[in-house]
Amino acid sequence: MVAQNAEERVVSLEPTVIDWLTKVRPMIIGDASVDSDRTLDVEDPATEQRIGAVALAGPELVERAVTSARDTFDQGGWRWMSSAARSRLILAAASLIERHAEELAQLDAIDGGVPIEYGRMSVADAVLTLEYAAGITARIAGQTVVPANHRGDLFQAQVIREPLGVVAQVVPWNLPFGMAVEKVALGLATANTMVLKPAEQTPLSALRLGELLLEAGIPPGVVNVVSGIGSEAGDALVRDARVDKVSFTGSTATGKAIVVAASGNLTPVSLELGGKSPFIVLGDADLDVAASAAADNIFTLSGQACTAPSRMFVQRAAVEEFVEKLSAAARRVVVGSPLDTRTTAGPLVSAVQRHRVAGYVDGALEDGATLACGGASGEGAGYFYAPTVLTGTTPRMTINREEVFGPVVTVTPFDTVDEVVGLANDTTYGLAAGVWTNDLSAVQRLTRDLQAGTVWVNTYNLFDPALPFGGYKQSGWGRETGMAAVDLYTQTKTVAAATNGRTSS
Ligand code: NAP
Ligand code: MG
């Protein structure tokens, strides 16, 4: 490897990115790039500078996007396309995205503060997700059913799996491109049409995704992208009676509001929501490995990850050493510009978010917590916040009950496996959990009793498009990855045909 000097470690924006941002970015509706009379400024959270602007959708443009998705679905060309042809188009999209990987990672870096190396991995994961989606198109199958009714009627029956129609997809600002692709890939595989709304803080990579999908040959109207404010464009979208399903990733509070809004039309909703995930370290675990994994997973993305392991529980004999190692790892985190390849944690996404995070830490200290490290905002421009470790908290404190979505973790000692099951499950959330031990019986007990959609053992944040992901309790409804996701994006139709001349039962 050639040693890099400091300048070479800082990525320069691709000319295509600079050029793309010189224009107010339009929405993608059908095959058209659509402007609006209102625009939304886009800010780089690392510099607090305006880096561009996007068209802002009000209810009329949302209605137009839903019309585009509705018409495209109802015309039938997309839904009746052979699975092989659909699969080929999805693969074409995957390889086009792969060719534009650097540009997409850079957009998430300057728009959402995603460290460039992390963003590159996330685009590579998005490509894998699309490839997986291409692979499942031909495996979405129904059943044939042997007659079972008591009169002995003769019939042939099929249970056919059909797409739902128009899916409204609303996504958050953390890891913007990956979130958007996770939703879109599933919609494409299942032959639905979509209206995607990115978060107002991070609209860029989703709009670029819409452009690339058209360029790859995905038919116009299949994926429509509207940039807008949640309470206006998002609300109009999920209330539209022509929407057949709402698929949401974001906070639990917004998830609840969306369920209420969609209930007017009884529109089915799937939800990937927040978490307060426990990370459990037993006394026999390798503390160097566990502490380093703990730091990587709570501080990368500055804690702005739904699975962030924000409550750590460590067996009493090991807790002091663990806190020391975790704090040392926290101090080694390179907080800085997302465009610097050395950076492991970028800024929080906005001034509002940093204010929230600082408020949680200050509140915990007022409640009696002790600061092992961190606890301060960065100096100068950018919404940076230092990786923070708190000890001496109790389960009832707000810091252990609400999702902080920042680089902040509490460490609590426990004595027995029974006790830690109770502590870990004492939350309204149930997204994920981590267990660190080589004690087989403890692993069996914990994986059985932890109330979480995913339990990782001696690893954390290990994702794969084939694995179902979603939440227990108030962390969500449904599983939007793996084959389990097909159930959420399709409905079944039963066709029973009489044989032997019988026409009714
Ligand atoms: P958020 O505030 O809930 O927003 C998510 C999306 O919903 C944004 O596009 C937002 O638009 C939109 N929205 C807001 N109010 C709406 C309404 N009334 N109707 C329709 N749409 C509305 O979440 P966030 O703060 O962006 O993201 C952080 C949250 O996402 C955390 O809680 C995190 O745990 C969760 N998350 C979960 C997963 C998972 O898979 N389980 C993954 C990632 C993140 P605006 O941007 O305009 O507000
Ligand atoms: Mg931004």
Side-chain angles (χ1 to χ4, degrees):
M1 281 243 303
V2 182
Q4 288 182 313
N5 64 33
E7 288 74 46
E8 282 171 331
R9 294 201 203 101
V10 178
V11 169
S12 305
L13 289 184
E14 303 258 301
T16 48
V17 171
I18 295 169
D19 189 47
W20 195 77
L21 286 170
T22 55
K23 185 171 168 248
V24 175
R25 296 317 312 173
M27 285 169 262
I28 308 295
I29 300 180
D31 61 359
S33 297
V34 176
D35 291 317
S36 166
D37 48 6
R38 293 186 301 155
T39 61
L40 179 68
D41 281 345
V42 180
E43 182 190 28
D44 178 344
T47 61
E48 304 182 28
Q49 299 294 309
R50 178 188 179 278
I51 51 167
V54 299
L56 185 64
E60 336 66 53
L61 284 170
V62 169
E63 200 188 319
R64 199 165 140 193
V66 176
T67 301
S68 161
R70 183 78 263 164
D71 290 351
T72 305
F73 187 81
D74 291 345
Q75 280 151 14
W78 169 245
R79 64 188 292 206
W80 297 123
M81 179 183 282
S82 75
S83 58
R86 205 163 61 245
S87 175
R88 232 175 277 132
L89 285 177
I90 301 172
L91 287 175
S95 50
L96 190 62
I97 285 167
E98 199 164 33
R99 288 206 293 285
H100 288 267
E102 182 60 18
E103 175 194 328
L104 292 160
Q106 290 188 6
L107 285 177
D108 274 2
I110 57 175
D111 190 3
V114 178
I116 188 76
E117 292 289 15
Y118 199 95
R120 287 169 177 162
M121 280 189 305
S122 142
V123 178
D125 284 345
V127 170
L128 275 183
T129 299
L130 283 161
E131 288 170 347
Y132 177 81
I136 65 174
T137 53
R139 291 167 53 209
I140 299 170
Q143 292 169 288
T144 56
V145 176
V146 177
N149 91 22
H150 65 280
R151 282 184 295 268
D153 296 335
L154 292 178
F155 63 88
Q156 289 177 337
Q158 296 163 285
V159 182
I160 302 165
R161 225 166 238 293
E162 296 190 339
L164 289 164
V166 176
V167 184
Q169 302 175 320
V170 180
V171 292
W173 41 256
N174 61 321
L175 224 50
F177 188 71
M179 293 290 157
V181 169
E182 187 187 299
K183 298 259 184 251
V184 165
L186 181 56
L188 292 172
T190 48
N192 289 286
T193 60
M194 291 153 265
V195 179
L196 171 71
K197 193 206 86 66
E200 65 187 90
Q201 295 92 343
T202 55
L204 297 181
S205 59
L207 291 170
R208 187 70 187 117
L209 171 65
E211 294 175 359
L212 290 172
L213 293 174
L214 283 176
E215 193 182 325
I218 301 292
V222 170
V223 180
N224 305 274
V225 188
V226 290
S227 32
I229 306 294
S231 54
E232 185 189 25
D235 184 66
L237 177 60
V238 302
R239 282 180 196 277
D240 195 308
R242 297 165 303 160
V243 165
D244 298 298
K245 173 189 171 58
V246 174
S247 169
F248 172 73
T249 300
S251 63
T252 295
T254 304
K256 288 179 182 175
I258 282 179
V259 167
V260 171
S263 70
N265 301 314
L266 292 180
T267 309
V269 179
S270 51
L271 302 168
E272 293 198 347
L273 305 177
K276 197 73 197 164
S277 299
F279 186 101
I280 299 169
V281 182
L282 270 71
D284 73 303
D286 180 329
L287 291 190
D288 287 315
V289 174
S292 147
D296 282 351
N297 287 291
I298 183 66
F299 300 132
T300 322
L301 290 177
S302 287
Q304 300 166 109
C306 50
T307 55
S310 52
R311 294 180 303 141
M312 295 187 184
F313 299 100
V314 183
Q315 214 155 18
R316 197 170 300 275
V319 74
E320 206 173 307
E321 194 184 340
F322 181 84
V323 170
E324 269 167 33
K325 289 181 190 296
L326 177 63
S327 302
R331 290 190 195 96
R332 283 196 301 272
V333 171
V334 183
V335 181
S337 166
L339 289 174
D340 189 325
T341 53
R342 288 161 300 184
T343 295
T344 50
L348 295 166
V349 79
S350 62
V352 172
Q353 185 62 13
R354 182 169 67 179
H355 184 71
R356 277 189 63 217
V357 170
Y360 275 117
V361 174
D362 295 347
L365 295 176
E366 276 162 32
D367 288 345
T370 302
L371 203 56
C373 71
S377 294
E379 284 169 9
Y383 307 121
F384 295 99
Y385 195 85
T388 299
V389 179
L390 294 166
T391 58
T393 65
T394 65
R396 311 264 26 110
M397 286 183 190
T398 306
I399 193 75
N400 282 322
R401 307 214 72 76
E402 295 183 12
E403 187 181 40
V404 175
F405 229 55
V408 180
V409 61
T410 63
V411 184
T412 303
F414 69 89
D415 292 301
T416 64
V417 172
D418 273 350
E419 182 193 359
V420 82
V421 167
L423 287 166
N425 289 339
D426 181 15
T427 170
T428 53
Y429 291 107
L431 191 59
V435 172
W436 293 80
T437 179
N438 289 314
D439 176 340
L440 184 59
S441 61
V443 169
Q444 284 174 331
R445 171 77 211 280
L446 288 164
T447 51
R448 186 191 67 185
D449 290 345
L450 288 171
Q451 296 160 352
T454 298
V455 181
W456 285 294
V457 181
N458 295 326
T459 184
Y460 202 86
N461 272 343
L462 186 130
F463 294 102
D464 189 289
L467 293 173
F469 177 77
Y472 276 34
K473 301 198 275 190
Q474 292 191 29
S475 286
W477 284 351
R479 303 288 178 265
E480 287 206 352
T481 48
M483 285 305 281
V486 172
D487 290 345
L488 287 185
Y489 269 63
T490 57
Q491 58 195 334
T492 57
K493 178 185 282 171
T494 298
V495 178
T499 58
N500 235 13
R502 295 184 77 128
T503 54
S504 68
S505 60

